[in-house]
Amino acid sequence: MKGSIYTFRSFDVAHVNRLQEFCMKNTRLGIPLLVACEGTHGMSLPMGTIFPTTGCIAATFDENYAYKMAVAESKEARACGFNQMYAPNLDLLQDARWGRSEENFGEDPYLTSQMGVAVVRGMQENGVASTIKHYLAYGTPESGLNFAPTHMGVREVREYMLPPFAAAVKAGAMGVMPSYNEIDGVPVKIIGERAFQLCGSLESVTIPSSVETINPTAFSGCPKLKSITVHKDNKNYCSDENGVLYNKDKTILMQYPCGKEDTR
């Protein structure tokens, strides 16, 4: 990630401050760095308070506890110069052999959603950007091995794996970390290109200013999509009030609504 620092072992507050000062005074836009660390159950660095593991927090069924933990760790992080945390982990743990099982809230999508929202709120209300992870279906790898493939169809992904991420995004999570696996034989990096095919309930889309290339089939799995808009600063695409997406040469790329919803 450009414009960011990440550490999970040690850090020097004075060095971080020097880098921040340099970026704000000597770069064209003067944008501060994102300084990130892990924080699934406490700031994972020297001087940080380590709370019970995430599964233990989930076992309390107490969203307020998760919120208070996030408040405490984000305050510590800010005091040490950090403004981003890679948490909460919203993977559903369906194989206890997985070596990262201590990061998860468990196997239930509803409980994971509620705990995840509480952590997002606790962090971001105290000046630390929450980066939810790992998108998507990362907690069910083959043989419980990290980085291993996930053998799962679209229905199961939609019904179980997506809801915690959807809840956290609606709660305002500022970042999403992609996973390192493949789902049903397709690497997640490629799925990212056609991510909206998993979003059957999506009704509107806004194309950010930074997007340079759009795959024409990207929204083919969105029968409810009614409108698509483009940020005014995007130099490659534009849209009109009828939901038509144009290339920069004014040729039609996509037009919505896409048709009737499949009710089978």
Side-chain angles (χ1 to χ4, degrees), residues 74-185:
S74 58
K75 287 182 176 180
E76 290 183 347
R78 287 296 292 170
C80 294
F82 291 85
N83 52 24
Q84 181 183 24
M85 275 186 150
Y86 295 156
N89 187 325
L90 302 178
D91 299 317
L92 297 187
L93 178 61
Q94 295 187 337
D95 190 331
R97 296 175 296 176
W98 188 38
R100 303 184 66 168
S101 58
E102 84 286 349
E103 296 182 35
N104 305 111
F105 290 113
E107 64 182 358
D108 183 75
Y110 179 78
L111 179 61
T112 298
S113 298
Q114 298 306 303
M115 291 291 181
V117 166
V119 171
V120 169
R121 286 180 45 240
M123 286 183 177
Q124 297 191 169
E125 288 175 4
N126 290 278
V128 173
S130 168
T131 299
I132 57 179
K133 60 183 184 180
H134 304 87
Y135 188 84
L136 183 65
Y138 195 53
T140 314
E142 181 180 86
S143 302
L145 298 174
N146 202 36
F147 299 105
T150 299
H151 303 293
M152 187 176 298
V154 172
R155 184 202 61 79
E156 193 171 356
V157 169
R158 286 179 174 176
E159 186 171 347
Y160 296 102
M161 303 300 166
L162 277 174
F165 288 91
V169 169
K170 289 179 181 178
M174 293 182 177
V176 179
M177 181 190 297
S179 55
Y180 322 112
N181 57 331
E182 62 182 50
I183 302 175
D184 198 20

Side-chain angles (χ1 to χ4, degrees), residues 207 209 230-235:
I207 306 299
S209 59
V230 179
H231 192 280
K232 61 182 179 62
D233 294 331
N234 190 302
K235 298 179 180 179

Side-chain angles (χ1 to χ4, degrees), residues 34-56:
L34 288 172
V35 187
C37 65
E38 301 289 346
T40 54
H41 55 100
M43 185 179 74
S44 301
L45 287 166
M47 298 186 288
T49 302
I50 301 302
F51 294 87
T53 57
T54 314
C56 294

